[in-house]
Each structure stands twice: as structure tokens, then as C-alpha cells.
Amino acid sequence: MTHAVVKEAWEKVQAELERTIGEQNFHLYLKNTLIVQLNPDIAEIGVPNLTIADFVEDRFANDIMASIERVQGYRPATLKFSINGHLFRRLRERERANRDERPVDPAPEAPRTTPRREPIPRRRLNAQVFNLNPRYRLDNFVVGPSNKLAFNCAVEVATRPGRTYNPMFIYGGCGLGKTHLLQGIANALLQRHENLHTLYVSAEYFVNQYVQALTSNAIEQFRARFRNLDVLIVDDIHFLRGKEKSQEELLHTLAALETQGKQIVLASDLHPKELEEFKQSLQSRFVQGMVAQLNTPQFDTRLALIKSKLGPHRERFPDGVVSFLAEKLDCNIRELEGYLTQLSALAAMTGDKLSLPLVQQALTDFLAHRRRLVELSDIENVVIAHFGVTSEQLHGRVRKRNIAIARQVCMYLARQLTQHSLKEIGRFFGGKNHTTVVFAEQKITSAIEEDPELKATVNRLSRQLNAPETA
């Protein structure tokens, strides 16, 4: 087909798409696209930038393929998005025009945070079993009445480990910042006290390593590893429920560390006294130091959080829109971040400020499909805890069966539970090619049909990440 014929066919497909997804969605997301190739082998669509490409692929790929099939009579084998220079320049010109027309506003009040520090060197992160998220720092944790006590204690622990608030126990519901604070403490200690042996793990990882040590007759090596630390940070303590032997081992580990004046930091969904099927002696150990709660952020804190999280997109969110979001997004921090990510993508597509009616409509759609935002680091950490591998092994090229399966499960869960593209997932897990991610997804999809144990594992990890089960 000539380019003119292809262009005419794409215009018909666009008209069908407008009827399918609605006028507003079409004008926001797919009007400013063009067709590069259209045949039974491939449909290649030009878009302004990678952000829009990933968003449209994740949200409208099925609608695009179905519309092509209805108009052209065939379904292309491949759907591809490419960055088009003309569309990119046109979007930038529109953004510049909007900036030139916009009056200069006074700088918004910055959220209260501690002074910014340099990022943690990657060299130190490699010493950790878990992949510490470099974004989880104490200096970018937004403070308010709902978390002030826990934050102040965390700063004190990171500044003078082992001297006050020992042990420190943080508790609160899902997505309120427990992991941010714990990894923030770990990141700060790795930067300020390089001579200290600091280790961040989940309770599940502790249990699995303990069981493995028992079965391999390596309990002394296990104890030497955990009892010779300067700082032990354990997340998701509630995982130990009903595991008496693991609780007993943790109790002796905490006692050994406290005797040496070493710092202990723990986190759970519940207050120590509310943890069911826990040894009373362990609960008493938890509460003998500092216990601090994280609550759902109030309006003023949510307002500061939104301003902080928007970052470079802040100029596209008028103050009225920001206040509306702070009022309506009465949820945990992780969900709030998810909504802001989608709205920021919407702003990038329009190239203009978001109006209140548009945000109201978009927010209605988001709330109707409300689900926890899952990060790639979340997936990596639950897989590390379950399979007993390390972040370095997952990112490496080792092909031992247990490591390969763990890596493939990571990629499978990433495809199921996140909106990241194949390229982004591959890049996160050690710079793998996108075809590796496709193979991993297909491999696990096939394996869980034949292996009930693996299916149960994948479903349990999905539940742990607060997502629906595999059908």
C-alpha cells in the first residue's frame, strides 16, 4: 500500500477508536498519533515520546488491535510504537506556548523535610541482600502529624544507632511509609556510618534462611551472620505469626544484639500487643524500646505529599486541582502515588494544565479501578524473601534453576501487576533484553498450569503484593 492509502486506512481506524473508547479519551490519547506501517505483519504507530508510548500501549493496545481488525479485516501480528520527531516537536511547541502564556506564580510552599543528602553510592547497596530503593531516604520523607513521632525517632536512630530508641518498632497499615522509613534508615546508615555492618531484611527472608540453615546443618553460620551485625532492620514482622521456632530464634537474636548495644529496628502492620500467635516474651521485647505508629495522612500532609510527588509536573497542576486531589485522595501514600503517576501521564499527553473537570473524570475512573501501586522493587523483595536468593543474583546472568525460576517469577509478576513496558522490566532486572521478559512471562504462564505448587507460590506472592490471584 502507498503511504496515502495507509494514512486513509489509519484515519478510518481512528474514527472507529473514537467510537470505541469515547471522544474525550480519543482526543487526549490517540488523536495526536500517526501511522508508520499498517499491514497484517505489523501496525507501527508514531507518538510524541516514550511516556506516551508506554501509557497508550498499556491502556489501549487491545482497543487499537480490535479497531484495526474491524476496519481492515485483519489483526496485525505485532503492535509497535515509535517516537516521531514531528509529533515530539509539536508537543514541545505547545508546551512552550503554554509556559509563555502562563503568569509567574510565587513558589509553592515546600513540604517539610530534612536537608537533602547525596544519593547512596551503589557500591554500598550491593552489600545488601535486598535491593534498597534509593528513593527511600529520610530527607525526602514528608512529615505531618500522622507520622511525626516515627520520623523523628528514625532520624535519631540513623544519627546515633544503638544509643536511644532500641529496639525501635514502627507499625501502621499498608502503604503508609513503614518500608520508606526502614530503608531510609538503612540508606542513611550506609552513607554516614560505612564502618557499621547494617542489614535490612524482611521477616519472611529471616524465616526462610533459618529453615534452610536447619535443614543444611548450618545453624551456627546463620547465627553468626545475624548476631554479629551492628544494625538489624526487619520489615513485616507480622509474617512470623504462628511460627514458634522462628520466633524463638529471633528472640535470641535480638537478645544477643541488645547485649552488645547494637541497634534493632522492626516494622509490622499491627501494634506488638495486637500480634496474634506471638510469644509473649517476644512481644515484651518489642515494646521495651520505642513504639511509633504511622496513620493515614491528614489533609495538610496529603497536600504537602502531592506537591512533593508531582516534581517537574507541578506546573501543570493548578492550586485548585492540587487541593481537590488532597481532599479526595484520602488513601495511603502508595495509592496516592499511583493516582499522581497516571494524572502526570495525562498531563504530558495534553501538553497543558489539567482542568478540574478533566481531573474529576479521570479520578472517578481511577477510583473505580482502585488497586495498589506495585513497584518493581516491591516484586523483587518479596521474591528474594520467598526464594532465598539475592538481588545481585536476580540481576546477574547465573542460570542455576532456583535463581532462574526466581528471576522469571519476578518478570511474570512485573508484567501482571505493573504498567512497566517490556524494556523497562528488562532494564531493571540487570539490563535484560525485552525478549527475555517475554520468554519469562510465557514460561511461568505455562508452568503454573502444570505445577500446582508453583501456582500457589505465585498466587501467594500476588496476594502479598495486594493484587488479584492468577485465574
Side-chain angles (χ1 to χ4, degrees), residues 84 170 236 400 414:
N84 181 271
I170 300 173
D236 297 329
K400 289 184 178 179

mmCIF file of all heavy atoms in Angstrom, residues 84 170 236 400 414:
data_model
loop_
_atom_site.group_PDB
_atom_site.id
_atom_site.type_symbol
_atom_site.label_atom_id
_atom_site.label_comp_id
_atom_site.label_asym_id
_atom_site.label_seq_id
_atom_site.Cartn_x
_atom_site.Cartn_y
_atom_site.Cartn_z
ATOM 1 N N ASN A 84 8.074 9.756 17.098
ATOM 2 C CA ASN A 84 8.072 10.526 15.860
ATOM 3 C C ASN A 84 8.560 11.942 16.137
ATOM 4 O O ASN A 84 8.015 12.643 16.994
ATOM 5 C CB ASN A 84 6.655 10.547 15.275
ATOM 6 C CG ASN A 84 6.575 11.314 13.973
ATOM 7 O OD1 ASN A 84 6.360 12.523 13.970
ATOM 8 N ND2 ASN A 84 6.789 10.628 12.866
ATOM 9 N N ILE A 170 8.061 0.208 64.513
ATOM 10 C CA ILE A 170 7.132 1.062 63.769
ATOM 11 C C ILE A 170 5.970 0.211 63.288
ATOM 12 O O ILE A 170 6.182 -0.892 62.770
ATOM 13 C CB ILE A 170 7.836 1.715 62.556
ATOM 14 C CG1 ILE A 170 9.016 2.570 63.017
ATOM 15 C CG2 ILE A 170 6.854 2.551 61.749
ATOM 16 C CD1 ILE A 170 9.861 3.098 61.872
ATOM 17 N N ASP A 236 8.042 -6.226 58.104
ATOM 18 C CA ASP A 236 6.920 -7.184 58.063
ATOM 19 C C ASP A 236 7.028 -8.269 59.136
ATOM 20 O O ASP A 236 6.867 -9.469 58.855
ATOM 21 C CB ASP A 236 6.824 -7.841 56.674
ATOM 22 C CG ASP A 236 6.525 -6.837 55.577
ATOM 23 O OD1 ASP A 236 5.848 -5.836 55.871
ATOM 24 O OD2 ASP A 236 6.963 -7.041 54.437
ATOM 25 N N LYS A 400 21.447 -21.051 37.322
ATOM 26 C CA LYS A 400 21.035 -22.140 38.200
ATOM 27 C C LYS A 400 19.511 -22.142 38.285
ATOM 28 O O LYS A 400 18.871 -21.091 38.291
ATOM 29 C CB LYS A 400 21.636 -21.956 39.591
ATOM 30 C CG LYS A 400 23.138 -22.206 39.643
ATOM 31 C CD LYS A 400 23.656 -22.094 41.073
ATOM 32 C CE LYS A 400 25.140 -22.378 41.143
ATOM 33 N NZ LYS A 400 25.658 -22.256 42.532
ATOM 34 N N ALA A 414 5.879 -8.753 37.324
ATOM 35 C CA ALA A 414 6.007 -7.382 36.822
ATOM 36 C C ALA A 414 5.065 -7.134 35.653
ATOM 37 O O ALA A 414 4.460 -6.062 35.532
ATOM 38 C CB ALA A 414 7.451 -7.107 36.406
#
